Amino acid sequence: MHRARQHAETRTRERRHRLAHEAARLMAEGGIRDYHQAKLKAAERLGFHDDASLPRNREIEDALREYQRLFLGDSQADGLRMRREAALRALEFFDRFDPRLVGPVLDGTADARTPIALQLYSDDADAVTRFLEEAGIPAESRARRLRLDRIREGDFPVWMFTAEDLGFELTVLPAVALRQAPLSSIDGKPMKRASAAQLRQLLVEDEIAGYGAAGGSTG
């Protein structure tokens, strides 16, 4: 009985591993951005239909990082740095709204299709609209549902536009949300976010790490 249970647990772990890596591949190659959609599509492709085999979002994110490192290499790193540099310019541009960078560009899993996601904070949601209009930036308006904490959630305005041949998404949140980040859809914890100063430091650290890797490869 004990051996049978161990065998079942091992099989479930193997399935979760395979599903996580297949979902990561679908996200990297197919442009799927939603973790839940990716895991369901992976399960359909592999013929796994038990919920116990479905990987957590964090497992898929880890598999995605591994996939990008193995198959994209320098192109991934170069594209990520370009997006982070563009994000820094955007953070400086929207400085009056206490902006923060969030999402794949910050956590390092962004690809060529990933928009740069910023959160702007203002109790006057129309202030961002006026700012975009005054700057001559045509933007498309949408809404996004976010959980501010374990109790509160709501739909918040999102402005989408293109600049420097890159996509940007601005989510406008109430000023109080600056105290604690909204909860991540990946793991339910407060989102990682970065101010301009923090992103500037991250770029410096990336550059130092890049020099170290280059030196190591020639030594």
Side-chain angles (χ1 to χ4, degrees):
M1 190 72 161
H2 178 65
R3 183 176 296 178
R5 187 170 68 250
Q6 279 187 323
H7 177 71
E9 290 173 353
T10 298
R11 185 176 62 180
T12 297
R13 281 197 301 271
E14 290 173 349
R15 284 187 168 192
R16 287 168 69 99
H17 181 80
R18 287 184 61 192
L19 277 170
H21 282 263
E22 177 63 13
R25 186 188 67 79
L26 290 171
M27 294 183 77
E29 297 180 2
I32 299 175
R33 294 174 55 195
D34 182 84
Y35 282 81
H36 185 67
Q37 180 186 353
K39 75 174 74 175
L40 292 182
K41 191 164 186 177
E44 181 182 352
R45 288 199 172 195
L46 296 177
F48 298 161
H49 303 296
D50 57 310
D51 289 344
S53 296
L54 292 178
R56 295 184 179 89
N57 291 342
R58 186 61 70 191
E59 293 175 79
I60 299 174
E61 184 182 62
D62 291 341
L64 180 58
R65 291 180 194 278
E66 183 178 350
Y67 182 96
Q68 292 172 333
R69 178 179 60 81
L70 291 173
F71 297 104
L72 301 180
D74 290 343
S75 64
Q76 162 72 11
D78 292 345
L80 181 61
R81 181 168 185 85
M82 177 187 69
R83 278 168 171 73
R84 284 177 171 174
E85 290 173 344
L88 178 57
R89 291 189 288 274
L91 289 171
E92 292 168 345
F93 182 74
F94 291 105
D95 179 65
R96 69 176 65 179
F97 300 108
D98 295 310
R100 297 293 187 270
L101 174 65
V102 296
V105 174
L106 176 59
D107 68 37
T109 59
D111 59 29
R113 296 174 290 264
T114 305
I116 297 167
L118 305 184
Q119 290 180 353
L120 277 53
Y121 302 88
S122 175
D123 288 328
D124 178 7
D126 291 335
V128 176
T129 308
R130 293 192 298 271
F131 185 80
L132 290 169
E133 290 174 350
E134 290 167 4
I137 299 174
E140 179 183 348
S141 175
R142 293 189 182 178
R144 172 169 295 141
R145 177 158 287 267
L146 289 174
R147 295 171 63 196
L148 295 179
D149 51 39
R150 299 294 179 189
I151 300 173
R152 297 176 300 157
E153 65 178 301
D155 294 319
F156 300 96
V158 177
W159 292 100
M160 307 172 66
F161 63 90
T162 300
E164 303 180 22
D165 293 324
L166 297 171
F168 287 81
E169 290 185 358
L170 312 177
T171 302
V172 185
L173 298 171
V176 69
L178 190 58
R179 297 178 190 169
Q180 177 179 308
L183 302 185
S184 168
S185 61
I186 296 176
D187 58 11
K189 298 177 181 178
M191 290 181 183
K192 294 179 181 177
R193 55 186 183 177
S195 64
Q198 291 166 329
L199 180 56
R200 203 174 289 115
Q201 180 62 32
L202 180 60
L203 285 166
V204 170
E205 291 170 0
D206 285 347
E207 190 168 358
I208 292 171
Y211 284 142
S217 64
T218 58

